Amino acid sequence: MAARHPSVRGAASARPEFVQAVGRAVDHYNAGRWRAAETEARLALGFAPADPSALNVVAGVAMQEGRTAEALALFQRALAGQPKNPFIQFNLGEAHRRAHALAKALPYFERAAALKPDFAEAFAFAAEALRGLGRGQAAEQRYQTALRLSPRLPVALNGYGLLLLRRGEPSRAGPLFATALDGMPPSHPMAPGLWSNLGVARLQLGQGLEGLEDLARAVDLSPQTPGLWRLLASSLRHTKVAPSGEMFRSVLLQLFDHDDVNPRNLATATLAVLRQDAEIDRLLHAIEARPADIARIIAEDGAVAARLVQDPLFLALLEAAPIPSIAVELLMVRLRADLLAAAVEAPEALDDELALAARLARQAFLNEYAYFVSPDEHRGVEQLGKLLDRDDLGRRPGDAVRIAILAAYRPLSTTPHAARLLRDLVPAIADLVREQVAEPALERELRAGLAVLKAATDLISVAVQRQYEESPYPRWTRCGVGTPLAFADAVRIALPHLGEGQAPEVERPRVLIAGCGTGLETMRVANTYKDASILAVDLSGASLGYAMRKTQEYGLANVEHLQADILDLPVLTERFDLIDSFGVLHHMADPAAGLQVLSDLLKPGGLLFIGLYSELGRQGVVEARAHIAARGYPATPEGVRDLRHDLMVRPRSPELETVLSPASDFWTTSDCRDLVFHVNEHRFTLPQVGQLLDDAGLEFLGLQFGHAADRTRFLAEHPALGAIQDLTALHRHELNHPEVFGDTYRIWARRSRHRRRR
Ligand SMILES: C[S@@+](CC[C@H](N)C(=O)[O-])C[C@H]1O[C@@H](n2cnc3c(N)ncnc32)[C@H](O)[C@@H]1O
């Protein structure tokens, strides 16, 4: 918003040179020619040093150029000369707003509006300030006035829309964004934000395809704005649909290049885009329907398969994230076997395959070698290992591709060549060696310095620890990064229904992550709460080593790691503002005992965020566990591999379908082990959750919905005030929609201030 300018009326009695200079200054300013505007305004100030119009222009230029303190001082001088000038009042408000001082900005906007009751921008900016200060009702009134005065004012339409979105009214918000966009040129500075907000509204209304297209358009218009691409990437998570067309495909491909995007969130969208090619879709369908015929299907449709594996989008996904598709996995298993056979018997046929083999090896490492290996391949891998065990390794043609193919079967860190590979990097496989050799070595080194509270003694804890030492969960590469918010603001986003003053205002929240795993959870916490200092605890040293490497890689300075059993944490003397424990308590022998420990570690009024398995949401897993028990698959990486393969290629009961869905934890070894082979799991219904919380002296605050549209649906079906915080209503809702919370409830609770002792 450019600064607004008083007319030069009133200066009529002054010298003509002065009047002309001010006139030119204002003209230059309004045309965005800041330098020229300032020169003319300073010329005018030479005649009349306190002239408010000229001061206003100089101040406006200072504000545009980011010299906010100077702008404020100049606007103040201008205002002293013309205290009743609404434009100078407005500009002072704007200068304060740009300095992030909303409370100071507000009275100036309000005075500007009072001085000039048809000044739509003044009402709109007063509303913006009020919204930023959390005063929604007053903001709404000002937005309405602004829009009465100027029905298409973008800043008012956008701000009011955001207010309504925050209040859970996407059906009213969407049309406001759409009106603002109607006829707006794409180059307008507000266009990307408006498209993005329209996308959010549509997603909340369940209009997935349109919403994603809007978010992508925002990124396309402003590809340098991290907030826009981050929002699109996180909104793509588990999507079943993807817009068609070149724009979306190209934006999606760009998302793979960003370090602050979790590529796992892009997987289903990428598959959906690839399947927009009718022949590729047919090929994948054929493999899914007749997995035993895969050799014939590929032979008949070789050109289509080749097109798929050469597609840049496919290649980006292949090296970045586990691919949640049965057909693609079977295709990759086949491709890998063919590459292995050639590597052993006819390496000269592999000349052009290095890039693909290296990507396939990265895929295999990411999915933790979850792909099926036939007895022939086992023999081939042994042979290949021997062929590569030479002193001049890495210097002969074909070595790199053979190493890549070996790395597609087992991590290079387990081969005797590893140390030599590190010393003598082959450039084409540098990423592979980094991921498979250097990074695991760093984890071991970091782990050596890990603080250990004491060794776990509880029998279940010991068994759980063993599982995660073998299969640290989850393996991840890059994660979404956001702008952390003040604690209370972040809590209000998670729980929009909390009333004003309900979220604790804590400047530097002290957070305990109980069961941090491999650090993804830690990243989420650090990216959510500004200035949080974190104690991240886990049973598993291997998981903590991974977590330490990743937090170091992301430069998190405010995290300490500790190896401990939650059951042993009562020795801690400090108390926490927030305890975050996602997917952990349900693996303890007695989750209630674990919850009590955590509850006792909270400050009075402190918050707890826990993830607990849902009995209703996990029925597919219950079936799978029965299937595993009946057929005796061992809970080892080999058992995981065999089960996965059998489920993919043999007829399976419909109850098992959810376990193999793209959104399920089926697609890597540690995920799948965690999902269906866990040594110990409890599941809960929401009434049971209520009882657990109550017993631990905790007050239920609400559930976080996975998708915005699910929350909208709940509110539509349960309009009664307070339903969103009512476990009985939420339970009824889950009975009607068993998939609504996925397989894990995301539960918020607060330590009651006055609680009875158990
Ligand atoms: C499913 S993983 C979840 C990891 C992480 N919270 C996340 O969501 O990415 C469960 C983690 O809890 C840890 N864990 C399980 N029982 C624990 C206990 N009694 N004390 C501490 N950590 C425990 C495991 O070692 C494992 O890393």
Side-chain angles (χ1 to χ4, degrees):
M1 170 84 194
R4 295 289 304 253
H5 288 284
S7 72
V8 287
R9 270 185 304 120
S13 58
R15 293 172 55 171
E17 300 92 311
F18 164 75
V19 176
Q20 283 161 7
V22 174
R24 284 194 302 269
V26 171
D27 286 348
H28 284 311
Y29 187 90
N30 288 338
R33 296 186 293 268
W34 313 132
R35 289 285 101 234
E38 182 163 358
T39 307
E40 295 292 347
R42 288 206 183 276
L43 189 67
L45 287 173
F47 296 107
D51 179 72
S53 301
L55 284 169
N56 194 38
V57 169
V58 181
V61 173
M63 184 166 76
Q64 298 298 346
E65 294 184 346
R67 291 176 277 127
T68 312
E70 190 185 334
L72 278 168
L74 288 162
F75 279 134
Q76 290 287 10
R77 278 178 58 200
L79 193 66
Q82 272 187 6
K84 294 230 154 80
N85 185 314
F87 298 114
I88 303 180
Q89 292 277 2
F90 179 89
N91 289 344
L92 248 173
E94 177 60 358
H96 280 299
R97 192 182 74 92
R98 290 194 184 201
H100 305 290
L102 292 183
K104 285 192 185 151
L106 178 61
Y108 291 104
F109 292 135
E110 296 276 40
R111 272 197 293 275
L115 286 165
K116 188 169 161 36
D118 64 348
F119 193 173
E121 280 109 331
F123 285 97
F125 275 71
E128 289 285 274
L130 286 162
R131 180 169 66 85
L133 292 166
R135 292 171 53 192
Q137 273 182 356
E140 181 165 27
Q141 277 179 354
R142 308 297 190 285
Y143 282 128
Q144 285 171 346
T145 308
L147 289 171
R148 240 190 337 270
L149 292 166
S150 177
R152 300 180 51 87
L153 186 66
V155 72
L157 289 163
N158 186 53
Y160 194 15
L162 286 172
L163 183 78
L164 293 170
L165 270 189
R166 173 67 72 88
R167 216 195 261 166
E169 296 189 56
S171 56
R172 291 180 63 205
L176 295 176
F177 303 129
T179 304
L181 282 165
D182 187 21
M184 178 181 271
S187 57
H188 191 290
M190 287 187 71
L194 279 160
W195 279 113
S196 178
N197 295 337
L198 178 61
V200 171
R202 285 180 159 165
L203 289 180
Q204 289 189 8
L205 288 167
Q207 299 163 5
L209 208 50
E210 295 83 354
L212 293 176
E213 180 139 24
D214 296 339
L215 293 180
R217 188 177 309 278
V219 177
D220 193 43
L221 288 177
S222 183
Q224 310 302 333
T225 310
L228 296 178
W229 77 62
R230 289 173 184 163
L231 182 61
L232 171 63
S234 59
S235 306
L236 287 172
R237 183 175 148 81
H238 298 331
T239 179
K240 295 189 179 113
V241 293
S244 52
E246 230 357 87
M247 183 273 285
F248 185 77
R249 176 183 248 277
S250 129
V251 167
L252 183 58
L253 193 56
Q254 288 165 36
L255 292 181
F256 279 100
D257 289 335
H258 291 303
D259 277 347
D260 55 2
V261 163
N262 182 345
R264 286 184 89 154
N265 288 349
L266 311 179
T268 54
T270 302
L271 290 167
V273 169
L274 292 166
R275 292 186 89 139
Q276 284 164 4
D277 177 325
E279 287 183 330
I280 288 179
D281 188 49
R282 213 186 46 229
L283 171 78
L284 297 179
H285 266 305
I287 298 174
E288 274 152 12
R290 290 172 284 121
D293 287 347
I294 185 164
R296 198 166 50 76
I297 294 169
I298 296 177
E300 280 169 9
D301 255 342
V304 179
R307 189 160 79 236
L308 173 66
V309 299
Q310 283 160 15
D311 189 307
L313 207 44
F314 179 79
L315 291 171
L317 178 61
L318 186 64
E319 69 178 354
I323 304 184
S325 154
I326 295 173
V328 172
E329 177 163 336
L330 295 175
L331 201 57
M332 291 301 104
V333 166
R334 190 83 206 170
L335 173 69
R336 185 178 68 164
D338 290 347
L339 287 172
L340 175 66
V344 174
E345 284 152 25
E348 62 287 350
L350 290 172
D351 280 352
D352 298 331
E353 305 292 357
L354 176 58
L356 181 60
R359 286 185 159 109
L360 189 54
R362 294 184 74 188
Q363 169 65 210
F365 186 73
L366 284 170
N367 69 42
E368 299 155 320
Y369 301 93
Y371 285 180
F372 176 73
V373 185
S374 70
D376 273 354
E377 287 171 273
H378 276 299
R379 281 189 292 277
V381 174
E382 287 311 314
Q383 267 177 290
L384 185 59
K386 286 192 190 118
L387 282 172
L388 289 174
D389 193 11
R390 296 186 329 257
D391 284 339
D392 62 346
L393 178 69
R395 298 203 197 95
R396 297 197 338 189
D399 274 357
V401 68
R402 283 173 150 177
I403 290 171
I405 292 167
L406 184 70
Y409 281 93
R410 53 165 79 142
L412 292 175
S413 58
T414 62
T415 73
H417 332 295
R420 241 172 311 154
L421 285 170
L422 252 190
R423 253 199 340 259
D424 222 350
L425 273 184
V426 181
I429 56 165
D431 282 336
L432 265 185
V433 176
R434 173 179 51 74
E435 279 170 357
Q436 300 198 3
V437 183
E439 290 179 352
L442 177 59
E443 283 165 31
R444 285 191 295 277
E445 193 185 311
L446 289 168
R447 194 179 157 182
L450 174 65
V452 182
L453 187 65
K454 73 197 240 318
T457 49
D458 176 87
L459 287 182
I460 291 291
S461 296
V462 170
V464 169
Q465 178 181 6
R466 190 177 324 123
Q467 169 172 337
Y468 289 104
E469 295 299 8
E470 286 174 13
S471 303
Y473 170 101
R475 178 166 289 176
W476 61 282
T477 51
R478 284 175 276 150
C479 69
V481 173
T483 311
L485 296 178
F487 189 63
D489 290 341
V491 171
R492 270 194 292 268
I493 287 186
L495 298 170
H497 57 271
L498 281 193
E500 276 175 32
Q502 281 253 49
E505 307 277 345
V506 184
E507 261 182 33
R508 296 179 180 282
R510 178 73 174 143
V511 183
L512 169 67
I513 305 182
C516 63
T518 48
L520 194 54
E521 191 73 7
T522 315
M523 289 299 300
R524 195 182 55 70
V525 168
N527 276 307
T528 305
Y529 309 103
K530 194 158 146 259
D531 295 328
S533 77
I534 299 169
L535 175 62
V537 172
D538 203 280
L539 270 178
S540 151
S543 302
L544 285 162
Y546 198 104
M548 290 162 91
R549 172 171 70 76
K550 294 304 277 184
T551 46
Q552 190 179 71
E553 181 184 315
Y554 276 90
L556 295 193
N558 49 1
V559 183
E560 302 151 74
H561 290 94
L562 174 69
Q563 187 172 10
D565 186 341
I566 288 173
L567 291 174
D568 293 323
L569 293 184
V571 297
L572 297 184
T573 49
E574 69 169 323
R575 296 294 175 262
F576 296 86
D577 296 297
L578 169 70
I579 299 181
D580 180 301
S581 187
F582 195 85
V584 182
L585 293 173
H586 49 224
H587 294 314
M588 296 181 70
D590 178 4
L595 187 62
Q596 188 65 55
V597 171
L598 299 186
S599 174
D600 290 341
L601 287 168
L602 282 171
K603 291 179 185 168
L607 300 185
L608 181 79
F609 174 66
I610 51 174
L612 286 184
Y613 282 152
S614 155
E615 181 71 54
L616 292 168
R618 237 171 127 74
Q619 281 313 296
V621 170
V622 174
E623 291 287 336
R625 288 176 71 92
H627 177 88
I628 289 164
R631 286 169 181 70
Y633 292 98
T636 59
E638 293 70 33
V640 172
R641 222 168 11 232
D642 290 345
L643 167 86
R644 292 183 76 259
H645 184 68
D646 292 350
L647 283 181
M648 283 191 275
V649 301
R650 296 202 180 143
R652 54 183 181 265
S653 71
E655 290 77 26
L656 292 173
E657 284 309 318
T658 53
V659 167
L660 285 88
S661 78
S664 163
D665 260 0
F666 181 73
W667 306 99
T668 80
T669 301
S670 68
D671 284 10
C672 185
R673 195 167 175 187
D674 196 82
L675 179 74
V676 288
F677 280 93
H678 210 285
V679 291
N680 185 51
E681 83 165 50
H682 297 266
R683 295 176 296 274
F684 303 89
T685 61
L686 284 176
Q688 288 167 337
V689 168
Q691 191 62 53
L692 264 182
L693 296 178
D694 207 35
D695 289 349
L698 292 160
E699 173 195 353
F700 174 66
L701 290 183
L703 294 182
Q704 234 174 289
F705 287 79
H707 295 281
D710 291 331
R711 185 167 182 277
T712 313
R713 180 177 64 179
F714 176 84
L715 291 171
E717 291 181 14
H718 301 267
L721 202 69
I724 196 126
Q725 239 173 300
D726 173 358
L727 279 165
T728 311
L730 289 160
H731 177 55
R732 255 199 326 272
H733 189 71
E734 194 188 12
L735 286 172
N736 290 334
H737 310 283
E739 78 305 330
V740 64
F741 300 115
D743 73 353
T744 304
Y745 300 122
R746 288 135 49 98
I747 303 162
W748 281 90
R750 170 166 50 204
R751 182 179 148 166
S752 317
R753 284 185 188 274
H754 313 286
R755 58 179 184 169
R756 48 195 158 79
R757 300 280 338 150
R758 285 215 307 173

